Amino acid sequence: MKYTIKDIAKITGYSVATISRVLSGKEGVSEEKRKEILKIIDQLGYIPNQSARRLRSKETKNILVMIPDIENYFYNKLIKGIETEAREKGYNIILGDFSDSQEIEEEYYRMMKGQLADGILIVGSMSQPQRIVEISRQFPMVVISDYFSDELITVCIDNFKAAYDATVFLYKCGYRKIAKITGKIGAILSQDRLRGYKMALENLGLDVDERYIKYGDFKYETGYKLAKELLSVKPFPDAIFCSNDEMAIGACDAAKELGFSIPDHLGIMGFDNIELSSMVTPKITTVHQPRYEMGKLAAQLLINILSEEEISKGKYILDTSIIPRESTRNTNMTK
């Protein structure tokens, strides 16, 4: 049920004017009465409309940037893009690392009710899609990377196409038994990358062998462990496509320990093009994801929303590209 201010007034026994003062943060209401009203509003799940919310909120010039794991290299360029755009427009960013915890994520949403920031940029949410949609109705929000609903504004890449193209690239390099280490399979982007990989194999006339698919979590240790498992399967895969560069680096280390020659006996491909992928030995062939540009665009869209500009909902898709390096063979023949 959707409640109005009049409904809140009837339920609490206070006047509409009093409820409005509490919602707008104006003086003239005792602290005890204010807490009582806010508690009831919270229990009822009252969601005000956007224009009314802006009228009563006090502008902080802060943007809350919520990420699941600050140690993940993926986020450095993304955050840099966000901060660059925010500073140019007179905003500061507050970094919220919710450590892959839905409970901590919810704590940040509760803090937003205390006017922590004017809007939210979020990537890698642990919540159900409908919960994210619900939060977006309470606070201005732009989602980055993940895709949940047409009701949201999302800055992302085409993960299906990027994974499809990467798998075809490996085929053109001469690999035929291509394995896959996914990201967190609960994430839609991981599902899309897995679908792209499978569709490419089917269209290339290669079998989709479930023994060659392992479910990872974007961490180095997982790439290392799962690569060892894949390289115990016979016949051995001759390539491993990892859903991020950290897992690809882990897979490379595992393969070298087992005596596999990279890229001749085994090709390894990553995803994201983090800085570390060009610093290790061998340098990792990868899919370039424009993280800095994604951050800038997401911040720009959110600031436009805060300026009350009309912004179309749905996906804002940025292009990817393949970066050939030392971990795959025959890269000169794929162009």
Side-chain angles (χ1 to χ4, degrees), residues 2 19 23-24 91 93 108 124 133 178 205 223 294 300:
K2 289 187 177 180
I19 304 301
L23 290 172
S24 63
Y91 283 83
I93 68 169
Y108 280 109
V133 172
I178 304 170
M294 290 169 70
Q300 177 188 331

Side-chain angles (χ1 to χ4, degrees), residues 39-201:
K39 182 178 180 181
I40 293 172
I41 287 172
D42 190 52
Q43 289 172 345
L44 293 173
Y46 170 67
I47 302 173
N49 62 47
Q50 287 276 58
S51 58
R53 178 163 62 248
R54 292 196 189 99
L55 284 170
R56 71 169 179 277
S57 65
K58 296 177 181 177
E59 195 175 40
T60 65
K61 284 294 183 180
N62 292 331
I63 291 172
L64 174 63
V65 180
M66 295 175 60
I67 61 173
D69 181 7
I70 199 168
E71 294 184 339
N72 190 313
Y73 290 96
F74 173 84
Y75 299 111
N76 59 356
K77 281 287 186 77
L78 185 75
I79 293 169
K80 185 65 176 176
I82 292 170
E83 184 174 40
T84 298
E85 183 68 20
R87 285 192 178 278
E88 286 178 1
K89 301 294 172 58
Y91 283 83
N92 299 308
I93 68 169
I94 297 173
L95 189 59
D97 176 7
F98 52 89
S99 304
D100 286 325
S101 166
Q102 186 175 356
E103 183 178 346
I104 297 175
E105 183 179 333
E106 287 292 335
E107 283 182 17
Y108 280 109
Y109 296 143
R110 286 194 287 272
M111 284 191 280
M112 283 295 295
K113 293 182 180 179
Q115 297 181 325
L116 174 68
D118 299 331
I120 302 172
L121 295 174
I122 184 167
V123 54
S125 170
M126 303 300 293
S127 298
Q128 292 296 315
Q130 191 51 44
R131 177 58 176 157
I132 301 301
V133 172
E134 178 186 323
I135 293 298
S136 75
R137 293 170 182 159
Q138 298 179 49
F139 311 107
M141 172 186 282
V142 173
V143 177
I144 307 173
S145 190
D146 301 284
Y147 185 72
F148 297 108
S149 167
D150 286 336
E151 293 186 50
L152 299 167
I153 297 170
T154 305
V155 174
C156 59
I157 61 168
D158 186 335
N159 285 285
F160 174 88
K161 181 180 183 300
Y164 184 100
D165 291 346
T167 307
V168 170
F169 174 88
L170 288 170
Y171 180 88
K172 288 180 178 180
C173 287
Y175 301 108
R176 295 295 181 267
K177 296 187 289 293
I178 304 170
K180 182 81 173 79
I181 299 178
T182 76
K184 295 175 183 176
I185 203 58
I188 293 173
L189 66 86
S190 293
Q191 295 168 20
D192 285 347
R193 290 176 194 177
L194 180 59
R195 287 194 307 108
Y197 156 81
K198 287 183 174 181
M199 182 64 73
L201 292 183

